[in-house]
Amino acid sequence: MEKGSSRAKKKGRSLKDRLGIFGPAILITILGFIVAYPFVEPAPPRKIIIGTGDPSGAYYAFAQRYRELLAKDGITLEIRSTAGSVENVKLLEAREGGVDIAFVQGGIGDPTAQPNLRSLGSLYFEPLWVFYQRGEKIKRLPDLRGKRIIVGPEESGVKAIAVKLLEANGVNSQTATLLPLGGEKAVEALREKRADAAFFVLSPQSPLIRDLFSLKGVDLLSFERGEAYQRANRFLSLLKLPEGVMDFEKNSPDRDTLLLAPAANLVVRQDFHPALADLLIGVAMEVHGAPGLFQELNEFPSQKYLDFPLHKEAQRFFRTGPTFLKKYLPFWAAVFIERAKIMFLPLFTLLLPLMRLFPPGFRWRMRSRIYHWYRNLEEMDFQGHQSTSPEEVRSCIAELEKIDGEVMHVPVPLSYAGELYNLRIHIAHIQESLRKAEAVLRGEGK
């Protein structure tokens, strides 16, 4: 029973000693974590909403591909069909019921009017296609005066650019009939000859393009003054559609055709989570990086052809690529480490210097277990030799025996056992000296 009690006592002392040595360092580190925590970036949301356009358009198709890729990293992408780029910009700015990201046609955004919006990059060229009935004598945009012109739905990007170019050529709602149709309805109106011409802003990969080139009696307008339009509207690029590239057998188109093209942008708010921005650019590279009719391999995503300033994370991505962690770790593991890295600062700035104090602190703590007994030892030695009666000396000897018994149970590592045994030798030496002094006082010694 006594042996078990002794072990429990040693264990209690050992725990107390460890707390005495490591406790302050641990406490300081915890306080450092508490101070650093407010600066830790919040975790990215697991669900985001993207604004696209008509379900028959390329924006919607690309969003579906984005959704598949983001799901692999545990991100749910909700696709919201909209009227087009103009509505998408409004939804990005909306405080409630808006979207987190959106496809926006180049030339629609205004960084002065929408200072809170940022681009993650341009994605691909979206040519402006103007198809017209072959029986109409239309060679240039001024020839559309008095015609029935499909300019795209309200709040769509195609209407914004169509109206701008038409007005520059004196064509407006007073000099022509402007029809607010888009997508399949616009193609059907051309097929049924309910319109003389139609504007489309579409990716060459869009199924609607194949439908338009298959229409009988419909031709594609070539922008002969394309360079002039491009210089007057810097968001536009001048592209050449080579003869026969859409259908070699039918030689469609039957001549080289000049097209004007804005670039589709992926747009977010300024406060969009940087981890998701990084992830989305990587997804965009996978979806849009392949060579195409108007682009080279890895030409897109690009930091050119932008309406809005680049998001700060996009600037870093285009400069250095994905971070080391995101390149080799799963998305959420990389995010956790990058969020936690600010918490590691207290560990390295506080704990490491404190670690240098542990060895001397440990030595001091171990030796203090031994050396503080010397004060009692010195006191008993002095009292015993100053005593004038054998009883007083015997009392000091008894106290020394008690001290020796307690010293036997002092827990120290083996490296300090020598100092512990030196203490016991000194106790025994003083006991022997006091026994001789006691014998003299009793008249038993010389």
Side-chain angles (χ1 to χ4, degrees), residues 169-229:
N169 287 277
V171 181
N172 51 46
S173 58
Q174 282 75 44
T175 60
T177 302
L178 305 184
L179 306 175
L181 302 176
E184 294 176 353
K185 292 181 179 180
V187 176
E188 189 64 26
L190 272 180
R191 180 183 288 114
E192 296 176 356
K193 297 185 178 182
R194 288 184 283 111
D196 301 310
F199 284 73
F200 299 88
V201 176
L202 295 170
S203 163
Q205 298 173 330
S206 172
L208 289 179
I209 289 297
R210 293 194 298 269
D211 294 341
L212 286 162
F213 273 99
S214 67
L215 292 180
K216 294 181 179 180
V218 173
D219 277 339
L220 176 64
L221 181 71
S222 179
F223 284 90
E224 296 177 355
R225 296 184 295 173
E227 185 174 352
Y229 286 120

Side-chain angles (χ1 to χ4, degrees), residues 355-374:
M355 286 291 290
R356 300 180 63 182
L357 300 177
F358 286 166
F362 182 77
R363 286 194 298 270
W364 174 84
R365 191 71 181 177
M366 292 301 102
R367 287 172 176 167
S368 68
R369 297 179 185 177
I370 300 169
Y371 291 164
H372 85 276
W373 293 104
Y374 278 100

Side-chain angles (χ1 to χ4, degrees), residues 246-265:
M246 302 304 293
D247 191 322
F248 287 102
E249 182 180 357
K250 297 179 180 179
N251 194 38
S252 178
D254 59 5
R255 66 194 185 285
D256 287 349
T257 304
L258 296 177
L259 301 177
L260 295 170
N265 279 230

Side-chain angles (χ1 to χ4, degrees), residues 30-43:
I30 291 173
L31 289 174
F33 282 142
I34 293 173
V35 171
Y37 184 76
F39 299 96
V40 176
E41 194 172 73

Side-chain angles (χ1 to χ4, degrees), residues 376-384 396 399-400 403 434:
N376 297 336
L377 197 61
E378 184 181 22
E379 185 178 346
M380 292 301 100
D381 186 20
F382 180 78
Q383 288 183 7
C396 291
E399 185 64 27
L400 287 170
I403 291 173
L434 290 181

